Amino acid sequence: MTVPELALVRFPGRPTPSPQARLVVLGPSLGTSVTSLWSGVVRRLEGDFDVLGWDLPGHGASAPTGEPFTMSELAQGVLAALDRDRPDAVSERPFYYAGNSIGGCVGQQLLLDAPDRVGAAVLLGTAARVGEPAGWAERARLVAAAGTPTQVVGSAQRWFAPGFIERDAVTTTGLLHDLQDADRFSYARACEALGDFDLRERLGGVRAPVLTVAGAHDAATPPGAVVALAEAVGGRAVVLDEAAHLLPAEAPQDVARLLAGHFIAHPADAEGARA
C-alpha cells in the first residue's frame, strides 16, 4: 500500500484571506468532488478563513490510482499535499478540518494520527465505522467491473432528503455527474478502505474540539451513529432536520454557520489541543 497523491483545490469567489487567516481544509464524500460538495458552504462561510479542499483519488482534480490505500494513508496524503503545496500555511499553527462521509473518516484519522496538526474539526455524515465490510467489498467488485454509473440511482436515493432533487436540480446534477465521472478503480479502492475502517476503540484519544453533524434523513450514517461519534470524542452533535447524507450540499447555510461558530469558538493553539 502507498500514500495516494491528492490534489488541493482552491474555491473560486472566496475573498482573499488576510495573512492571519486560519486555514480550513475540507474533505469530500465518496463519489463527489470537493468543489461540487462544498462550494455552497464556502460562499456563505463568514470569518477570516483561508479555505482549501482535497479530492479523493480518481475524483475531481486528483489523479486516479489502482493501488490499495487505507484511511490512514488518505490522511497522510492530505498532510503531504498541504506540506507540498502550502508549507507556509501549516508550519506554525494547526489548521481546522471539516469532512463529509469518507472525508469525515479521514478527519477522524487526522485527529488521532496527527493531533498536533488539527486544531478543531467538524465531522459531517460520518461515524467511527460506516456500513459493513461485506457491503463495501461487494460494491468495490461491482464498480471495478462495471463502473460508477452503477451507483447513480442508489446514491441519489441515499445522498439527498426527500424533495431536494426537485428543489435544486443544479446541485444534484453536478454531484451525480461527479459520480459518473469518477475513476472506477479509485472508487473501488475507496470502498475497500471504508470496509477496513473502524476507529471505535481509539476515539478516546482525540484531543481537539469536535462537532459532529447528522442529517435526519441519512440512512448511510444514521443520526444515532453520528451522535455516538460525538459522545466518544467528548464533542457536541447537531442534527439537521431537512438533510440526508450530503449535508454541505443540502444545507449550505446551516453548515457554514456551524463551521464558523465551531472554529471561532475554538481558536487553535500551538498544539491543537483542547483549551
Side-chain angles (χ1 to χ4, degrees), residues 127-224:
R129 181 180 181 183
V130 179
E132 296 295 331
W136 289 117
E138 180 180 358
R139 193 191 301 192
R141 288 191 295 269
L142 173 61
V143 171
T148 54
T150 60
Q151 301 303 301
V152 169
V153 173
S155 294
Q157 294 170 345
R158 291 189 300 271
W159 281 357
F160 308 116
F164 182 77
I165 293 176
E166 292 76 18
R167 291 195 304 273
D168 193 342
V170 172
T171 297
T172 55
T173 298
L175 288 162
L176 292 171
H177 280 167
D178 283 348
L179 175 58
Q180 292 186 83
D181 293 341
D183 173 67
R184 59 176 173 161
F185 299 111
S186 303
Y187 184 104
R189 292 305 192 187
C191 290
E192 293 167 357
L194 282 162
D196 291 336
F197 176 75
D198 188 347
L199 293 182
R200 287 175 293 181
E201 300 303 317
R202 293 188 59 196
L203 291 176
V206 171
R207 294 184 297 161
V210 174
L211 170 68
T212 69
V213 187
H217 299 276
D218 191 353
T221 50

Side-chain angles (χ1 to χ4, degrees), residues 29-220:
S29 181
L30 179 62
T32 74
S33 71
V34 73
T35 304
S36 294
L37 181 62
W38 281 98
S39 285
V41 172
V42 173
R43 287 195 301 270
R44 297 168 171 85
L45 186 61
E46 297 183 358
D48 190 15
F49 298 115
D50 184 8
V51 185
L52 293 174
W54 62 272
D55 277 321
L56 287 162
H59 295 61
S62 287
T65 183
E67 297 297 320
F69 52 81
T70 65
M71 207 66 67
S72 181
E73 287 165 336
L74 272 182
Q76 293 175 50
V78 172
L79 296 176
L82 289 170
D83 292 342
R84 179 182 66 243
D85 295 346
R86 294 295 306 278
D88 59 314
V90 297
S91 59
E92 296 182 357
R93 53 186 175 176
F95 57 86
Y96 296 125
Y97 184 85
N100 191 89
S101 191
I102 191 172
C105 297
V106 170
Q108 295 171 59
Q109 205 76 58
L110 286 167
L111 288 163
L112 289 165
D113 296 349
D116 59 325
R117 301 291 297 271
V118 184
V122 180
L123 307 176
L124 306 98
T126 193
R129 181 180 181 183
V130 179
E132 296 295 331
W136 289 117
E138 180 180 358
R139 193 191 301 192
R141 288 191 295 269
L142 173 61
V143 171
T148 54
T150 60
Q151 301 303 301
V152 169
V153 173
S155 294
Q157 294 170 345
R158 291 189 300 271
W159 281 357
F160 308 116
F164 182 77
I165 293 176
E166 292 76 18
R167 291 195 304 273
D168 193 342
V170 172
T171 297
T172 55
T173 298
L175 288 162
L176 292 171
H177 280 167
D178 283 348
L179 175 58
Q180 292 186 83
D181 293 341
D183 173 67
R184 59 176 173 161
F185 299 111
S186 303
Y187 184 104
R189 292 305 192 187
C191 290
E192 293 167 357
L194 282 162
D196 291 336
F197 176 75
D198 188 347
L199 293 182
R200 287 175 293 181
E201 300 303 317
R202 293 188 59 196
L203 291 176
V206 171
R207 294 184 297 161
V210 174
L211 170 68
T212 69
V213 187
H217 299 276
D218 191 353

